[in-house]
Amino acid sequence: MSNLTALKNLNFHSPKCSLFLAKIIADALNKCKYLELVYSPTHVGIRENEWADSVARDALVSPRIYDFVSPEDTISACSKIIRLAQTEELGRRTWTAN
């Protein structure tokens, strides 16, 4: 299914990447007066499209394939890691002060 088709059929059960794309488009529509989504068929000699196809092919055979992670989930995970590191550092300082 193409991204445009996925956006046309968007619902609460859509993949996170489709929901994220819809949010980006909605944000862009709030900031600009005109937005055009253009369908670009694969392998037509458009350099950026060829690059994206190449990256996608490489990802399919990569041993490290990850599910899409939303920016919100990334920020939340980073915040937890930072809080844990701060707690550990505070514990070390308290331990060495005693």
Side-chain angles (χ1 to χ4, degrees), residues 59 62-69:
S62 171
R64 296 180 353 165
I65 295 178
Y66 299 101
D67 289 333
F68 173 80
V69 179

Side-chain angles (χ1 to χ4, degrees), residues 8 20-21 28 30-31 55 61 65-67 81-83 87 93 96:
K8 181 179 178 184
F20 178 68
L21 181 58
N30 287 327
K31 293 177 183 176
V55 170
V61 297
I65 295 178
Y66 299 101
D67 289 333
I81 292 167
I82 291 168
R83 281 194 303 276
T87 303
R93 287 184 186 174
T96 57

Side-chain angles (χ1 to χ4, degrees), residues 41-59:
T42 60
H43 308 293
V44 293
I46 299 171
R47 184 180 59 184
E48 293 83 359
N49 196 28
E50 295 295 331
W51 174 81
D53 289 343
S54 171
V55 170
R57 277 191 302 275
D58 291 347

Side-chain angles (χ1 to χ4, degrees), residues 71-87:
E72 295 82 9
D73 290 343
T74 303
I75 291 168
S76 175
C78 288
S79 296
K80 288 177 187 175
I81 292 167
I82 291 168
R83 281 194 303 276
L84 178 62
Q86 290 171 335
T87 303

Side-chain angles (χ1 to χ4, degrees), residues 1-26 68 70:
M1 177 182 327
S2 75
N3 285 330
L4 293 178
T5 303
L7 288 171
K8 181 179 178 184
N9 299 311
L10 201 63
N11 62 52
F12 290 108
H13 302 292
S14 296
K16 281 186 177 182
C17 58
S18 295
L19 295 171
F20 178 68
L21 181 58
K23 181 183 181 321
I24 295 296
I25 291 169
F68 173 80
S70 73

